Amino acid sequence: MSLNHSEIPSFPSFENWKGISQYFPVQNDSVWLNYCGTTPVSTYAIQMMNLYFQEYAKFGIFAPSFAEPVIKSTIRGYIAEILSCDPSEIGIVHNTSEGMNLYSHSIQIPKGKRILVLENEYPSNVYPWEHWKEKGIGLDFIPVGKTPDEFLTNLKNELEKGDVNILSLSPVHWCTGVAFDMEAVSKLCETHSTKLVIDGSQAVGHIPLDFGKIKVAFCAFAAWKWLLGPLGLGVVYLSKEESKGFQLIFKGQASVVNDSNYFPYRNEWKPAADQFEQSTINFNDWIYFYASLKMLSTLGFSRVRERIYEVAGMLKDALHDLGFTLESDAFPSVKTGILAITGHKDPSKFQPEAIQAFLKQRKITTAVRLGRLRMAPHIAIEEEHVTRVKEALKDYLSQS
């Protein structure tokens, strides 16, 4: 995927990953371990945006290297490659909540049916469904269980009741890091005539998602997590099957075909995924996201995922050496880049908020979720960062 312009900066392939952290200034004197939360900007994205701003200052919207249709097509192409879907099924929004709300308010669900979401789900995949409760639709939560297999059993028990219209699921739990078997989930949904909707914020770019194998009606996700994009940009996927007859609840200036010609007013809507882009977009964010995706594509999307697991494995080994236990200990064969620390061999030593505060003093950024200390590395984390984290935790544990 290329814009074929000599001024567009390239990104090195980093065959052994050594030195890649230099492209992430946040790692210069600190260790950022919250990549499943928000991701700091790379120097590559800064370089790309500087080039765009220089051209925009000179040419305005006619910046030659950054034509909007080309940037949009390239972004959609990258996402389609990641999800194994058609680029026409991809739309660009501001965040997961917006995408979920637009979809949820635009569909029909028969009375007496239910919507299922995950226990302790992130609010972006709960609040957009709540309006259905006033319309006679149930909104229920599925227990996660202690392992992915236990979750599948819990899901099967709910689906066998025969009244679930939609399962809206995060393939990776944002607090625990547990990753679910989405092919098995998809088969269960098909068997029980249930639509599968995905909140992909913790999954896309982190675990493999093949929408050619997984039957998904709709998906929304943030750009600023595993895809290293900007805050305030999100993506939606609407399957071709779901697109048939689909019309968004809102109509904006950009909802109709040939929208750059303002008169006469028209009623011919754009294809379904394009309808999610209501009007003028924040093109600066598009350039940032384009740069991040180009970087990840150069490195290889699947290779990036494997590196995330590799670095998470280094951290996991270090944590085990220090006597910590993790959520993922219950499902060791499941790959995940989210490490949820659940305890220590000396229970008095495991105080998540205290550990987080201690690490913050050492310029190590983590998060506390559901009583767990959460770490989430990405490609910017190298071996020396893992060593630094381990040494800081040793110091914490040595305190009286």
Side-chain angles (χ1 to χ4, degrees), residues 64-288:
S65 301
F66 301 96
E68 181 185 324
V70 177
I71 294 295
K72 178 178 179 178
S73 175
T74 307
I75 290 173
R76 292 172 92 172
Y78 283 137
I79 299 298
E81 181 182 346
I82 293 169
L83 297 179
S84 298
C85 67
D86 192 277
S88 66
E89 297 172 300
I90 301 299
I92 304 176
V93 292
H94 295 105
N95 48 62
T96 307
S97 287
E98 180 181 86
M100 284 291 187
N101 266 300
L102 288 172
Y103 175 76
S104 176
H105 284 269
S106 300
I107 61 175
Q108 300 297 319
I109 300 177
K111 282 187 178 181
K113 293 292 186 178
R114 290 191 298 149
I115 300 166
L116 287 181
V117 297
L118 197 60
E119 177 186 43
N120 296 317
E121 177 63 280
Y122 193 77
S124 292
N125 195 21
V126 178
Y127 296 160
W129 302 109
E130 288 183 339
H131 70 100
W132 283 107
K133 292 191 289 185
E134 301 172 359
K135 302 167 186 175
I137 306 299
L139 178 60
D140 294 328
F141 296 85
I142 316 164
V144 177
K146 295 181 179 179
T147 67
D149 287 340
E150 188 176 333
F151 166 75
L152 286 175
T153 299
N154 295 338
L155 175 60
K156 185 173 181 289
N157 290 338
E158 287 294 328
L159 294 180
E160 285 178 345
K161 296 176 183 178
D163 61 350
V164 179
N165 184 265
I166 288 176
L167 167 66
S168 192
L169 179 68
S170 291
V172 180
H173 198 288
W174 67 294
C175 296
T176 67
V178 60
F180 304 115
D181 183 341
M182 293 308 298
E183 287 193 40
V185 169
S186 176
K187 288 176 182 176
L188 281 172
C189 287
E190 283 195 76
T191 298
H192 297 282
S193 302
T194 298
K195 281 185 184 179
L196 176 58
V197 172
I198 285 179
D199 174 347
S201 290
Q202 292 301 344
V204 181
H206 173 200
I207 66 169
L209 285 177
D210 186 341
F211 285 2
K213 296 179 180 177
I214 304 168
K215 188 176 180 182
V216 177
F218 177 78
C219 175
F221 54 93
W224 60 85
K225 298 182 185 293
W226 300 102
L227 295 179
L228 306 179
L231 282 168
L233 193 70
V235 178
V236 294
Y237 160 88
L238 191 72
S239 71
K240 289 182 178 179
E241 183 177 343
E242 189 74 356
S243 295
K244 296 173 183 176
F246 182 88
Q247 186 167 298
L248 210 61
I249 189 172
F250 298 117
K251 186 178 184 181
Q253 170 267 322
S255 300
V256 297
V257 297
N258 199 21
D259 59 284
S260 59
N261 291 329
Y262 306 124
F263 298 106
Y265 302 130
R266 52 185 66 83
N267 289 318
E268 185 181 353
W269 288 61
K270 287 181 177 177
D274 282 327
Q275 293 175 23
F276 285 83
E277 296 156 29
Q278 295 280 293
S279 188
T280 307
I281 44 81
N282 186 341
F283 196 57
N284 299 341
D285 284 348
W286 284 27
I287 302 301
Y288 183 159

Side-chain angles (χ1 to χ4, degrees), residues 28-56:
N28 288 346
D29 66 345
S30 62
V31 183
W32 189 269
L33 285 175
N34 194 28
Y35 283 91
C36 71
T38 60
T39 52
V41 66
S42 68
T43 56
Y44 183 66
I46 293 171
Q47 184 183 9
M48 191 76 75
M49 293 185 75
N50 281 341
L51 176 59
Y52 166 66
F53 286 138
Q54 290 167 15
E55 287 198 0
Y56 190 75

